[in-house]
Amino acid sequence: MSIKAVVFDFGGVLIDWSPEYLYRTLIPDETERRWFLTDVCAMDWVIQQDGGQTIVEGTAELIAKFPEHETLIRAFYERWHEMIAGVLDDGIATLEKLDSAGVPLFGLTNWSAETFPYAWENFPVLRRFKDIVVSGRVKLVKPDPAIFAEMVKRVESHLPGIQPAELVFIDDDRKNAEAATALGWHGVHHTSAAKTDAKLRELGLPV
């Protein structure tokens, strides 16, 4: 089967997001900062908001556990936009080559429903996608097979009858790419644009 559509993750593939960008200024000591982002504002906590929990609820829960770090915890979402450095030019270049060749593009991202509007307003490249599944809106997160099923449903509305083997999914998180592969997609673990482009070319895509 030939590839009929490509699905992109956003953070780490197209958009340069990292809590480090904010917390380097708030916690200059690297050891202390590493502890805070591993044990307090950890990714497991972020995923709760990405899965649909409100920022108010998530923040309150974490402050209850770590009251001595209230100011730093509140900063996570109050200054969330400072964690975005911009777009990743090499990832955007891959997207643009596919788009120019007429390959249908879709987005599948773990992202809070409350913060995603900032990205939508500030990164016009997101309007290139025919549809985007935002985890916080559907209350499902990668690598749950259910969110991939939701993505297939959205793609099918544009490309009736499409099969998993006709889809590519690009994600910088290995477990998400592997989840797509386990469902019959072509999961691509994005570690560099050059390697991703090479894999896409192997699949017959014009990059």
Side-chain angles (χ1 to χ4, degrees):
M1 288 186 177
S2 61
I3 302 303
K4 293 185 177 176
V6 176
V7 182
F8 280 84
D9 171 42
F10 293 165
V13 179
L14 301 176
I15 295 175
D16 187 5
W17 175 86
S18 173
E20 289 280 341
Y21 295 142
L22 170 62
Y23 282 95
R24 279 175 194 158
T25 65
L26 299 178
I27 310 174
D29 181 79
E30 184 175 354
T31 301
E32 184 181 346
R33 183 172 69 253
R34 182 66 36 237
W35 174 83
F36 181 82
L37 293 176
T38 301
D39 294 332
V40 182
C41 287
M43 283 308 300
D44 286 348
W45 174 70
V46 178
I47 285 292
Q48 290 178 233
Q49 282 65 254
D50 287 353
Q53 177 167 264
T54 68
I55 288 171
V56 167
E57 290 170 339
T59 300
E61 285 181 9
L62 206 59
I63 290 171
K65 292 179 184 177
F66 301 98
E68 69 277 19
H69 297 294
E70 178 174 356
T71 300
L72 289 170
I73 292 168
R74 289 195 183 281
F76 194 95
Y77 284 107
E78 288 177 355
R79 299 176 62 178
W80 174 88
H81 60 282
E82 294 179 51
M83 300 179 194
I84 296 183
V87 297
L88 294 165
D89 291 336
D90 53 359
I92 297 297
T94 299
L95 180 151
E96 289 180 339
K97 284 181 278 190
L98 293 168
D99 194 27
S100 295
V103 177
L105 304 176
F106 296 84
L108 175 56
T109 182
N110 281 355
W111 206 304
S112 164
E114 294 176 78
T115 57
F116 186 74
Y118 174 88
W120 181 258
E121 291 301 322
N122 285 275
F123 301 108
V125 69
L126 299 183
R127 292 169 178 74
R128 303 274 192 98
F129 295 100
K130 291 185 177 297
D131 202 347
I132 299 169
V133 173
V134 178
S135 64
R137 292 176 176 169
V138 299
K139 294 181 169 49
L140 299 164
V141 294
K142 297 175 291 182
D144 185 343
I147 198 169
F148 289 96
E150 175 64 22
M151 186 78 259
V152 170
K153 186 170 73 173
R154 304 280 191 95
V155 175
E156 279 187 320
S157 70
H158 296 271
L159 303 167
I162 194 163
Q163 299 299 306
E166 298 171 317
L167 289 169
V168 171
F169 176 55
I170 303 167
D171 198 303
D172 68 319
D173 189 322
R174 181 185 293 277
K175 69 178 182 294
N176 295 337
E178 290 176 347
T181 298
L183 294 168
W185 301 35
H186 296 275
V188 176
H189 177 214
H190 180 82
T191 56
S192 73
K195 290 180 179 178
T196 293
D197 284 0
K199 180 62 177 175
L200 296 179
R201 284 193 293 272
E202 287 177 17
L203 293 167
L205 288 162
V207 294

